RNA sequence: GCCCCCAUCGUCCAGCGGCCUCGGACGCCGGCCUUUCAAGCCGGAAACACGGGUUCGAAUCCCGUUGGGGGCACCA
């Protein structure tokens, strides 16, 4: 039997890193087994679902390099793969379940339900609704006729239990004393998540349900529905959740949680994907940087960790740097150039493109994120340079600063050829003549030229800036000091 | 309150009864390199939550405790 898995996000928010990881694991599992990966839209929550979020989810998945064989956008043999288009199907299943006695129309009022909850609390037992207010066929028919339809609940066999083997956690048992007769169809005739999701899994022939641990407690409900439909149960695999640095569930409070935010922050999709893959799964070796091919070849659910994992931004940064350094200079500048233009607020001229491309490799070997490029080349793209106050205060207040600036200006002005080598020779000569250390003598020059104490290598920076602008900036800084 | 899951360095992962005085990575600390910042290289500190079992032998198996997480809607 070919493996069929699905990722079924509800478009009620941006795709977050946890969802991205779940999608990735599903995808890796499918690819590993030569199976089918289905993308579904679990959009039964009409109130909170928006097209904007739907688009974000699609774009984020694509960015991560996760494609799907069936589902929304690409289609497939099962319709639109949107739950809002399948209401009739869910109603039909609910009706079948009522007919077979597996479900029933319920007459409990909110007050009665609340009372049960309170009583359970007092008795220190599980707050489960056991169907005591279920409607008889006549009562249900009467309410239907009166235009006051009751909700449909699943009749959970009591006493009883549901047990299953979770692929990542092993055997799990839920006593039905702790599973209540849950609503599957609202009184307005729309399906509840448990029904819609389970019916889809059955109809779409899903063989493995790989999802977050937060739904582990709902699994008996899904199994019960599946059995009531007379269908075989899929295998379940519940992934542990992602936590923030404080061990609490990852949330906005901990920083960015949306995949999109990482793209915007200058991370590479391959790095994010690698990081997510390694976060809770190991290829079985000591490798940390794992190619896509290797991931697919080695991925198995049995090797997925049961521990909740803390999303470690520092490690992601390191990994992103590794990927940045691994790409060609061409690829790097292709990705960086557009960001530089956005930062600049205009397109680069052909000359400017040339200088940025020439400078890019120097930044590539030390950057952790793509967004670091623009600030590093900014000084090359404007006639004037804005000097960071902090950098100025740090290096220009020394006794050596005026000497270095003046000496550098004179030495460079005398240069016949404006090249990296010539510049280095001139400045080193100045250093020797003035008796200055490289650190003391060059930092003022750096700040004057680039506006910051942190910049690409100085000689290259001067060469790229050009003779005229370099000398002007040196003079301007010297004047400001005088 | 009830139910479920989890428990190895600060963090992630390896370990699936002896090969473990626990291995790798990030981070951290120190050193080298060095024009800044990085990168790179070298070295270091750093963990089997606790208590009972089982066994010749336990980080590995079982039970309990403690701690953490998740779930208990006509949300998903």
């Amino acid at each position: 039997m070919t493996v069929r898995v699905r990722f079924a996000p509800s478009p009620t928010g941006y795709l977050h890193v946890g969802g991205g990881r779940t999608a990735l694991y599903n995808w890796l599992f499918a690819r590993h087994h030569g199976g089918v990966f289905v993308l579904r839209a679990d959009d039964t929550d009409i109130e909170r679902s928006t097209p904007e979020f739907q688009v974000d989810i699609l774009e984020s998945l694509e960015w991560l390099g996760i494609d799907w064989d069936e589902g929304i956008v690409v289609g497939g043999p099962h319709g639109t793969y949107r739950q809002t288009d399948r209401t009739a199907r869910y109603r039909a299943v609910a009706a079948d379940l009522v007919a077979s006695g597996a479900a029933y129309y319920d007459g409990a009022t909110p007050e009665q339900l609340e009372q049960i909850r309170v009583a359970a609390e007092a008795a220190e037992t599980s707050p489960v609704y056991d169907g005591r207010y279920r409607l008889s066929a006549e009562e249900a028919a009467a309410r239907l006729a009166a235009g006051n339809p009751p909700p449909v609940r699943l009749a959970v066999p009591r006493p009883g239990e549901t047990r299953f083997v979770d692929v990542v956690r092993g055997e799990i048992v839920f006593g039905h004393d702790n599973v209540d007769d849950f609503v599957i169809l609202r009184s307005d005739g729309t399906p509840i998540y448990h029904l819609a999701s389970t019916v889809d899994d059955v109809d779409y022939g899903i063989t493995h349900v790989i999802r977050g641990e937060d739904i582990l407690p709902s699994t008996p409900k899904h199994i019960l529905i599946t059995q009531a439909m007379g269908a075989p149960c899929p295998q379940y695999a519940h992934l542990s959740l992602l936590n923030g640095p404080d061990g609490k569930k990852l949330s906005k409070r901990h920083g960015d949680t949306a995949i999109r935010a990482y793209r915007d922050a200058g991370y590479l999709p391959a790095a994010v994907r690698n990081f997510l893959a390694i976060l809770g799964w190991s290829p079985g070796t000591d490798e940390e940087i794992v190619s896509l091919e290797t991931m697919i070849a080695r991925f198995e659910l049995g090797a997925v960790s049961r521990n909740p994992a803390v999303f470690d931004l520092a490690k992601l940064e390191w990994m992103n740097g590794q990927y940045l350094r691994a790409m060609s200079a061409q690829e790097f500048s292709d990705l960086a150039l557009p960001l530089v233009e956005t930062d600049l607020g205009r397109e680069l001229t052909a000359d400017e493109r040339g200088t940025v491309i020439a400078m890019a490799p120097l930044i590539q070997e030390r950057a952790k994120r793509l967004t670091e490029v623009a600030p590093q080349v900014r000084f090359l793209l404007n006639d004037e340079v804005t000097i960071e106050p902090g950098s100025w205060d740090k290096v220009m207040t020394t006794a050596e600063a005026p000497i270095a600036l003046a000496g550098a200006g004179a030495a460079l002005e005398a240069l016949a050829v404006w090249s990296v080598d010539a510049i280095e020779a001139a400045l080193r000569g100045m250093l020797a003549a003035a008796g200055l250390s490289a650190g003391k003598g060059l930092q003022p020059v750096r700040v004057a030229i680039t506006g910051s104490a942190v910049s690409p290598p100085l000689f290259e920076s001067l060469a790229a800036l050009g003779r005229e602008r370099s000398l002007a900036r040196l003079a301007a800084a010297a004047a400001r000091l005088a």
Side-chain angles (χ1 to χ4, degrees):
Chain A
M1 188 162 67
T2 76
V3 160
R4 291 178 59 84
V5 295
R6 75 341 185 251
F7 178 58
S10 73
T12 55
Y14 296 105
L15 182 67
H16 58 89
V17 291
R21 188 181 63 146
T22 302
L24 178 61
Y25 283 20
N26 270 284
W27 183 85
L28 286 172
F29 185 75
R31 292 292 169 265
H32 176 84
H33 291 285
V36 175
F37 178 55
V38 178
L39 181 65
R40 200 168 79 199
D42 278 17
D43 56 356
T44 50
D45 186 347
I46 298 159
E47 297 290 310
R48 297 191 298 152
S49 295
T50 73
E52 183 201 352
F53 290 141
Q54 186 64 258
V55 166
D56 177 77
I57 290 167
L58 262 25
E59 289 181 350
S60 295
L61 289 174
E62 281 165 9
W63 182 72
L64 283 171
I66 296 173
D67 57 351
W68 51 100
D69 312 299
E70 272 180 42
I72 53 179
V73 183
V74 304
H78 298 291
T80 65
Y81 296 84
R82 311 194 102 90
Q83 296 190 328
T84 41
D85 292 330
R86 287 168 47 81
T87 311
R89 169 62 180 154
Y90 307 130
R91 283 182 194 164
V93 171
D96 285 350
L97 296 186
V98 169
S100 73
Y104 57 85
Y105 286 106
D106 186 54
T109 64
E111 295 71 34
Q112 290 169 326
L113 260 14
E114 180 57 26
Q115 208 171 70
I116 290 171
R117 241 189 305 278
V118 171
E121 185 102 1
E124 301 198 346
T125 60
S126 274
V128 302
Y129 174 60
D130 59 4
R132 71 186 65 169
Y133 300 114
R134 67 189 291 167
L135 266 19
S136 66
E138 298 73 44
E139 292 170 321
R143 277 185 55 171
L144 253 9
N148 177 27
V152 176
R153 285 178 186 271
L154 195 84
V156 176
R158 244 177 291 274
E161 63 177 28
T162 293
R163 64 174 63 221
F164 61 99
V165 177
D166 188 284
V167 185
V168 338
R169 283 157 209 287
E171 180 166 74
I172 294 172
V173 185
F174 286 91
H176 289 180
D177 285 347
N178 302 304
V179 181
D180 68 355
D181 284 9
F182 57 102
V183 171
I184 56 174
L185 198 70
R186 299 186 183 96
S187 47
D188 67 0
T190 60
I192 285 296
Y193 159 75
H194 301 302
L195 208 224
S197 175
T198 305
V199 170
D200 283 0
D201 287 341
V202 169
D203 288 354
Y204 300 170
I206 300 304
T207 58
H208 301 257
V209 171
I210 305 167
R211 53 170 35 164
E213 190 188 2
D214 51 337
I215 346 195
L216 183 53
S218 295
T219 305
K221 297 179 178 178
H222 304 166
I223 291 175
L224 256 12
I225 292 174
T226 305
Q227 290 173 337
M229 289 176 72
C233 282
Q235 302 248 97
Y236 290 94
H238 289 94
L239 275 20
S240 58
L241 269 18
L242 258 28
N243 289 158
D246 59 358
K248 305 289 185 196
K249 187 176 183 175
L250 193 63
S251 71
K252 305 271 189 313
R253 204 158 39 76
H254 300 108
D256 292 318
T257 56
I259 292 288
R260 169 175 299 274
Y262 290 87
R263 176 196 354 195
D264 294 344
Y267 291 93
L268 262 17
V272 173
R273 183 174 60 209
N274 190 157
F275 176 68
L276 252 20
I278 289 303
L279 196 58
W281 171 73
S282 158
T285 62
D286 282 342
E287 309 162 79
E288 307 282 330
I289 305 293
V290 189
S291 72
L292 203 53
E293 296 68 41
T294 304
M295 281 185 213
I296 292 171
R298 304 245 187 91
F299 189 82
E300 49 182 317
L301 289 173
V304 170
S305 172
R306 288 170 291 282
N307 299 21
V310 170
F311 189 85
D312 183 0
L313 197 59
K315 188 159 184 173
L316 206 212
E317 283 225 323
W318 164 79
M319 188 168 280
N320 203 58
Q322 297 297 309
Y323 273 88
L324 243 26
R325 244 147 272 130
M327 51 195 201
S328 70
Q330 169 85 54
E331 290 173 307
F332 182 78
S333 52
D334 282 351
L335 289 171
L337 247 22
L339 297 181
V340 171
E341 293 189 324
T342 303
D343 178 70
L344 238 201
R346 63 172 169 82
E347 283 190 14
L348 292 169
T349 65
D351 274 1
E352 287 172 332
R353 287 181 70 87
T355 32
V356 172
I357 288 172
M359 190 61 79
L362 298 172
I363 299 169
Q364 179 179 7
E365 72 183 50
R366 70 199 68 216
K368 287 187 170 171
R369 292 186 278 131
L370 243 19
T371 45
E372 287 169 38
V373 178
Q376 299 262 304
V377 299
R378 217 175 270 156
F379 77 96
L380 288 169
L381 308 172
N382 297 299
D383 287 335
E384 301 297 315
V385 65
T386 307
I387 298 183
E388 294 170 5
S391 294
W392 178 275
D393 294 343
K394 191 173 163 196
V395 308
M396 292 303 197
T397 50
T398 64
E400 295 89 342
I403 303 168
L405 253 24
L412 292 174
E413 191 149 26
L415 279 184
V417 189
W418 194 259
S419 70
V420 175
D421 288 346
I423 290 167
E424 173 162 12
L427 289 181
R428 289 204 186 279
M430 175 278 286
L431 250 27
L436 293 175
S437 69
K440 286 286 186 189
L442 262 23
Q443 276 304 81
V445 177
R446 181 188 306 283
V447 171
I449 295 299
T450 70
S452 172
V454 175
S455 80
L458 184 58
F459 310 133
E460 284 83 350
S461 294
L462 280 158
L465 221 212
R467 179 192 182 97
E468 213 165 305
R469 288 193 292 183
S470 295
L471 294 176
R473 289 183 191 184
L474 249 17
R480 184 172 159 187
L481 265 187

